[in-house]
Amino acid sequence: MPFMRRLTLVDSLFFLAHDEFTGKPALRRTGLGIGMAGSALCDLLLAERITVERKRIRPLSRRGLAHPALDRVFSEIRGERESHAVREWVDHLRHDLGETVAGNLLAAGVVTRETERVLMRKIHRYPPRDLLMSTAARSKARAAVLGTEQPDPHSVCLALLAWTVGLDDLCEPELDRAGLRTWAEATHRELPRALADLISGVDAVCAAIVYTGDRR
């Protein structure tokens, strides 16, 4: 399908949030949802479909990206009469965007789905059909942190979002969690204001979830 020619942030983070070989979830549903919401908004920002002003999201265009999950999010943003804060959008989108992205990847034929029951819960695994695609996300994120060349904004955002939602073993064994934290904090300070405010909004929702104990 056309939208799979280049992995978007939302697709890449989905792969990072699942084992690249077995498709087993590496995050709880809440963390995955926050990551999907944040990465979708970053995709739209980097594609100049939205901007962030005074920590509130405003649409810049009416043209979609021909990506079902991103166009759904963009349509919701354009449909609002008033602008809303980044953290409000992340909290709103996190509840079902993971399922939407999974459905898109299934429809594109790049993953399959296997279901197992653990106690009273159903756990979905999404084994990849193409290991080059499933491993590309981790390679890009690691290169953004460990590489010697200037990384592209897409890779930087992927690594920052991974750190923010709890995928903090991304660069082991070369770099431990403390080292990744140092990189993330320094990199965040150097981001353009709109992108920095967006990442901060994702982080704020993560912090609120931890505080309230909603870790489903």
Side-chain angles (χ1 to χ4, degrees):
M1 292 182 69
F3 77 90
M4 290 308 301
R5 288 176 183 168
R6 179 182 183 273
L7 283 179
T8 60
L9 269 171
V10 77
D11 298 322
S12 296
L13 194 66
F14 184 90
F15 280 120
L16 272 186
H18 294 81
D19 184 274
E20 55 198 343
F21 300 105
T22 68
K24 182 179 179 180
L27 286 174
R28 292 177 182 267
R29 181 180 176 183
T30 300
L32 175 64
I34 294 173
M36 293 295 93
S39 56
L41 294 173
C42 282
D43 270 324
L44 293 172
L45 181 65
L46 292 174
E48 299 183 341
R49 297 307 193 270
I50 63 171
T51 189
V52 180
E53 296 176 348
R54 298 181 180 179
K55 301 182 180 181
R56 304 178 79 83
I57 290 178
R58 180 174 66 83
L60 291 175
S61 169
R62 298 193 63 83
R63 185 166 54 91
L65 293 172
H67 182 292
L70 296 178
D71 286 347
R72 183 199 120 185
V73 171
F74 188 41
S75 178
E76 286 196 52
I77 292 172
R78 287 192 293 107
E80 291 294 306
R81 293 185 177 181
E82 299 179 357
S83 62
H84 299 284
V86 172
R87 63 180 299 172
E88 292 176 318
W89 275 113
V90 173
D91 194 48
H92 167 69
L93 295 168
R94 70 181 177 88
H95 296 287
D96 61 358
L97 194 54
E99 286 82 357
T100 300
V101 174
N104 294 161
L105 294 173
L106 282 166
V110 297
V111 300
T112 60
R113 179 163 61 192
E114 299 175 359
T115 303
E116 59 181 317
R117 185 174 292 276
V118 179
L119 298 177
M120 299 299 291
R121 297 175 56 207
K122 286 184 178 180
I123 304 296
H124 296 305
R125 293 190 289 117
Y126 295 94
R129 291 182 180 272
D130 184 346
L131 286 178
L132 288 177
M133 183 173 288
S134 69
T135 57
R138 180 171 294 272
S139 296
K140 285 176 68 68
R142 284 174 55 86
V145 181
L146 302 172
T148 57
E149 298 182 1
Q150 181 69 24
D152 63 274
H154 182 279
S155 300
V156 169
C157 287
L158 181 60
L160 283 172
L161 287 166
W163 161 259
T164 302
V165 299
L167 294 168
D168 51 11
D169 60 350
L170 182 67
C171 294
E172 294 182 350
E174 294 89 344
L175 195 67
D176 62 12
R177 288 168 172 81
L180 184 56
R181 179 187 296 109
T182 298
W183 174 87
E185 291 173 350
T187 302
H188 185 267
R189 288 194 295 268
E190 296 174 359
L191 291 175
R193 173 57 66 87
L195 202 50
D197 285 347
L198 205 159
I199 298 293
S200 293
V202 176
D203 185 58
V205 175
C206 287
I209 294 301
V210 170
Y211 181 77
T212 59
D214 178 9
R215 301 188 188 184
R216 291 172 296 170

